[in-house]
Amino acid sequence: METKVTMIPNGHITIYNRYFVSRVETYQRTVIKNIVWEATKAVSGRSTGVLASNVATVFIPMQRGADYLKPKAWQALVTKTGNWTLQEGDVIVRGEVTQEITTEYSLSDLRNAYDDVVVISSVDAMDQGSPNVQHWEVGCK
């Protein structure tokens, strides 16, 4: 008898993919549902003072990636709407966020409005095994 292994989601995320239009930083927003979010909030002492160390690891099932493109392919798109990617420097917010980052609503406004706002620092494709366990492991700070 074969045991079925699956990821048990605990939330949704909103990814803000960063790109430039005429040297202006621009963001494309995409909501990804049914992911696994693991966060660690810690404080470590340094000789120069206290340093907060807030990190998150986000596990995104590859089954959610119908509109996913690798970073270079995504950056090459003229129209990015309807597609998303995972690249260092992109912003992830825990939950479904409807606000777009614009000249009127900045990244700072987003950070002030939501508790769990992190920046992607690493992406690993865990594409071995059954489709039920294949996922992207996204390290965030």
Side-chain angles (χ1 to χ4, degrees):
M1 182 174 185
E2 185 177 315
T3 303
K4 184 176 181 180
V5 178
T6 60
M7 297 177 73
I8 300 172
N10 65 358
H12 310 309
I13 57 170
T14 304
I15 297 176
Y16 290 90
N17 292 126
R18 183 176 65 146
Y19 63 103
F20 292 88
V21 176
S22 301
R23 299 184 185 171
V24 175
E25 190 173 61
T26 307
Y27 290 89
Q28 169 67 41
R29 180 183 60 86
T30 304
V31 173
I32 309 294
K33 296 186 176 192
N34 301 316
I35 57 83
V36 177
W37 177 283
E38 290 182 358
T40 303
K41 294 190 181 213
V43 175
S44 60
R46 295 266 174 132
S47 60
T48 57
V50 176
L51 176 66
S53 175
N54 299 333
V55 297
T57 304
V58 181
F59 301 91
I60 304 171
M62 288 188 173
Q63 295 170 338
R64 307 284 179 272
D67 301 326
Y68 172 83
L69 294 172
K70 289 186 175 184
K72 288 180 183 177
W74 186 85
Q75 287 288 349
L77 291 175
V78 174
T79 303
K80 297 175 182 348
T81 305
N83 293 286
W84 58 279
T85 194
L86 295 166
Q87 57 193 352
E88 288 184 33
D90 286 348
V91 175
I92 297 180
V93 181
R94 187 174 190 179
E96 295 183 58
V97 179
T98 58
Q99 288 89 0
E100 300 287 349
I101 296 176
T102 64
T103 54
E104 291 82 31
Y105 190 86
S106 70
L107 184 55
S108 293
D109 294 328
L110 185 75
R111 289 180 193 274
N112 289 333
Y114 295 92
D115 290 321
D116 298 312
V117 180
V118 293
V119 176
I120 295 176
S121 57
S122 66
V123 178
D124 291 312
M126 305 301 202
D127 55 1
Q128 301 297 312
S130 76
N132 291 331
V133 296
Q134 294 175 0
H135 63 280
W136 289 282
E137 185 172 322
V138 184
C140 304
K141 295 180 183 178

